[in-house]
Amino acid sequence: GFPAFLSSHKTLFIVLWISAFGSVFLWQRDIVGAGFSVFGKAGPGRSMSGSRPFEFNITDFGGVGDGVTDDTAAFERAISAISKLGKRGGGQLNVPPGKWLTAPFNLTSHMTLFLAEDAEILGIQDEKRWPLMPPLPSYGYGREHRGPRYGSLIHGQNLEDVVITGHNGSINGQGQSWWTKYRQKLLNHTRGPLVQIMWSNDIVISNITLRDSPFWTFHPYDCKNVTVRNVTILAPVFGAPNTDGIDPDSCEDVVIEDCYISVGDDAIAIKSGWDQYGIVYGRPSRNILIRNLIVRSMVSAGVSIGSEMSGGVSNVTVENVTVWSSRRAVRIKTAVGRGGYVRHITYRNLTFDDAQVGIVIKTDYNEHPDMDFDKNAFPILENISFTGIHGQGVRVPVRIHGSEEIPVRNVTFRDMNVGITYKKKHIFQCAFVQGRVIGTIFPAPCENLDIYDEEERPVKLSTAQNVTDIDYGV
């Protein structure tokens, strides 16, 4: 019986060893979270419940969660307690099921805000409870009014290692009253975002829902190493002005993946400052990966770059994105006075399903903070590629509107087949653009582009790069 005993114990030992190794592997994978960053260095840290050495419940600090009681002081007391634990690994604040009404509050470093299923943080609608902050230095003044701007519901500055996550709990800005007051011109300051984190590193937002922001929904500003994963962002597709989903602004090393976004403006808009203020601030947005999204924008675009891009935007990859029932699918927008550059932008495996315009590059987006912008600050647009572009129900698949001062250079199209609903001539529109088409694409490209075969051998070189064929009627 001894050999049988040994072999059964050997089997048990192997099973235990494999399960132990597997659990360590899973634990490491979860702790690292987005850690194996696409940019080759360790990414944001902890991303799961219980990974902080200290854990608190908002009710420990007097939170009520009935949707009526003002829980602001409870959040402030809890975060103050966590702020003292940074050197010991920080703390997690658990928000249980309930409706937690609060005025804006500030996060602290080495903190996890964890929203249980059916937990909802609600923004107080009285704007007198929202603090005023100086304008963003790269914008010169509030986006809508001169002078200060409202802060965000959940705010952070000069932080590191911050996680907002949960079991798909939600943060609700209750923006309807803000949108109404904005339309009626009753606000004297720029509306605040839902979540804004500034000058910070190692930020993770995952597994939650963000909805009905007064203004932009998530605005990371001059941050490094930002991950947004498994997040749902919602606002009405009409009547919710400027409720962009995610606006990385002068940020580096950003990953946005596995999200669903349907809002009243751009689902994603990459920015880096506005005209002369952005040129002076001089912080580009770069190394940004956007993948595996479903997005919708009836007012603006699924994924935008600009129009405030004066600090420059480079090294952006947008892949595996479906844009459905939208006004525009992907758009780059800029203007004279912006300066800066948009370069090394890769779009790959995009699906457009019922969009008025598929791909837009626009160089006359003339919104300016004031009239002191440099009339000779011409942005540079170059090295932009589109590969694997498919779809149906698209009215105008491509509109690239360069100008004499702002030509669009080195644009590449490959593997494109977009079903169109618009049978007139102007379906692939170009002005002041230079670039190439590799292989056959549908619809037929404009005559501004060089034609190459699948092996990238020249077939027909364009003699008309500055031809203007833009139909404004769509």
Side-chain angles (χ1 to χ4, degrees):
F2 186 70
F5 169 82
L6 184 65
S7 69
S8 67
H9 274 66
K10 193 173 174 184
T11 306
L12 180 63
F13 175 76
I14 290 169
V15 167
L16 286 171
W17 188 86
I18 289 171
S19 63
F21 178 82
S23 65
V24 167
F25 172 76
L26 288 170
W27 171 79
Q28 282 186 322
R29 190 192 65 181
D30 284 342
I31 289 294
V32 169
F36 298 110
S37 161
V38 287
F39 308 110
K41 58 177 182 258
R46 314 163 180 87
S47 64
M48 58 186 252
S49 171
S51 59
R52 302 279 184 196
F54 300 92
E55 216 167 303
F56 303 96
N57 196 309
I58 188 67
T59 54
D60 301 338
F61 298 89
V64 178
D66 60 4
V68 180
T69 306
D70 181 348
D71 286 323
T72 310
F75 281 103
E76 289 172 344
R77 285 191 292 265
I79 292 163
S80 175
I82 291 171
S83 71
K84 299 175 174 66
L85 300 169
K87 290 192 169 64
R88 299 159 69 190
Q92 174 163 309
L93 177 59
N94 291 322
V95 181
K99 294 187 180 296
W100 307 87
L101 184 67
T102 178
F105 61 84
N106 291 307
L107 302 175
T108 190
S109 291
H110 309 294
M111 169 180 179
T112 299
L113 178 64
F114 190 95
L115 301 171
E117 190 176 5
D118 298 325
E120 186 172 36
I121 293 176
L122 296 173
I124 282 178
Q125 292 174 290
D126 177 4
E127 67 267 21
K128 296 183 194 68
R129 299 289 308 281
W130 288 57
L132 289 173
M133 305 183 66
L136 295 166
S138 60
Y139 283 70
Y141 77 111
R143 192 64 181 71
E144 298 169 336
H145 292 275
R146 287 187 176 277
R149 61 195 173 91
Y150 288 107
S152 58
L153 179 63
I154 295 180
H155 194 78
Q157 291 184 195
N158 303 300
L159 303 181
E160 38 187 275
D161 177 25
V162 173
V163 178
I164 304 175
T165 188
H167 292 143
N168 202 31
S170 56
I171 301 170
N172 185 338
Q174 302 205 91
Q176 292 82 353
S177 63
W178 292 92
W179 309 330
T180 301
K181 287 173 184 168
Y182 169 75
R183 279 194 296 271
Q184 294 173 349
K185 298 191 165 38
L186 297 175
L187 296 171
N188 297 320
H189 307 286
T190 299
R191 291 166 287 151
L194 188 64
V195 180
Q196 182 176 58
I197 299 181
M198 305 169 62
W199 305 303
S200 299
N201 300 328
D202 300 332
I203 309 301
V204 179
I205 298 190
S206 67
N207 303 320
I208 60 168
T209 295
L210 305 174
R211 66 165 67 231
D212 293 346
S213 174
F215 190 58
W216 300 345
T217 304
F218 175 45
H219 184 215
Y221 180 82
D222 199 351
C223 290
K224 286 187 180 173
N225 214 4
V226 178
T227 301
V228 184
R229 179 185 293 122
N230 289 328
V231 171
T232 301
I233 302 180
L234 303 172
V237 291
F238 292 118
N242 310 104
T243 49
D244 298 20
I246 304 170
D247 286 6
D249 200 339
S250 295
C251 287
E252 265 184 63
D253 298 349
V254 177
V255 179
I256 299 169
E257 61 186 358
D258 305 318
C259 295
Y260 178 87
I261 305 172
S262 174
V263 288
D265 206 313
D266 295 310
I268 292 175
I270 300 170
K271 303 176 180 290
S272 66
W274 204 10
D275 287 3
Q276 68 273 30
Y277 304 103
I279 292 170
V280 169
Y281 193 71
R283 297 279 203 299
S285 277
R286 60 187 175 202
N287 299 348
I288 297 177
L289 173 62
I290 297 167
R291 64 184 174 192
N292 308 335
L293 306 186
I294 299 174
V295 297
R296 183 184 191 204
S297 172
M298 292 290 285
V299 169
S300 198
V303 179
S304 283
I305 298 174
S307 76
E308 312 91 330
M309 41 59 68
S310 301
V313 176
S314 68
N315 195 15
V316 175
T317 298
V318 179
E319 63 184 8
N320 306 336
V321 173
T322 296
V323 186
W324 69 282
S325 189
S326 292
R327 185 167 176 188
R328 305 172 192 88
V330 296
R331 176 161 73 155
I332 297 171
K333 45 189 176 173
T334 187
V336 172
R338 290 288 191 270
Y341 53 82
V342 176
R343 57 165 69 113
H344 303 304
I345 314 296
T346 301
Y347 298 92
R348 195 163 45 223
N349 191 18
L350 306 184
T351 302
F352 307 155
D353 186 359
D354 180 25
Q356 287 185 40
V357 191
I359 293 163
V360 184
I361 300 178
K362 184 175 174 63
T363 56
D364 60 349
Y365 199 85
N366 290 314
E367 281 187 3
H368 301 282
D370 51 47
M371 296 317 290
D372 295 332
F373 65 90
D374 179 355
K375 311 295 186 290
N376 295 311
F378 302 126
I380 296 165
L381 303 182
E382 62 186 9
N383 303 335
I384 302 164
S385 70
F386 299 90
T387 305
I389 311 298
H390 299 100
Q392 60 179 5
V394 179
R395 217 168 157 187
V396 176
V398 179
R399 179 182 291 154
I400 301 178
H401 188 187
S403 66
E404 204 159 354
E405 301 85 8
I406 312 173
V408 181
R409 295 276 173 249
N410 194 22
V411 177
T412 303
F413 290 89
R414 183 174 205 154
D415 178 21
M416 175 172 178
N417 192 328
V418 175
I420 53 176
T421 62
Y422 191 56
K423 299 297 187 246
K424 292 185 183 171
K425 174 174 173 260
H426 301 291
I427 50 176
F428 196 123
Q429 304 178 7
C430 297
F432 293 92
V433 55
Q434 171 268 324
R436 60 189 186 152
V437 170
I438 300 171
T440 54
I441 67 171
F442 183 84
C446 60
E447 58 193 83
N448 308 53
L449 301 174
D450 301 332
I451 308 297
Y452 289 74
D453 66 16
E454 290 289 356
E455 280 72 49
E456 302 192 27
R457 294 178 299 227
V459 173
K460 177 173 178 288
L461 299 184
S462 171
T463 56
Q465 288 163 7
N466 296 341
V467 167
T468 296
D469 183 16
I470 300 285
D471 177 1
Y472 287 97
V474 183

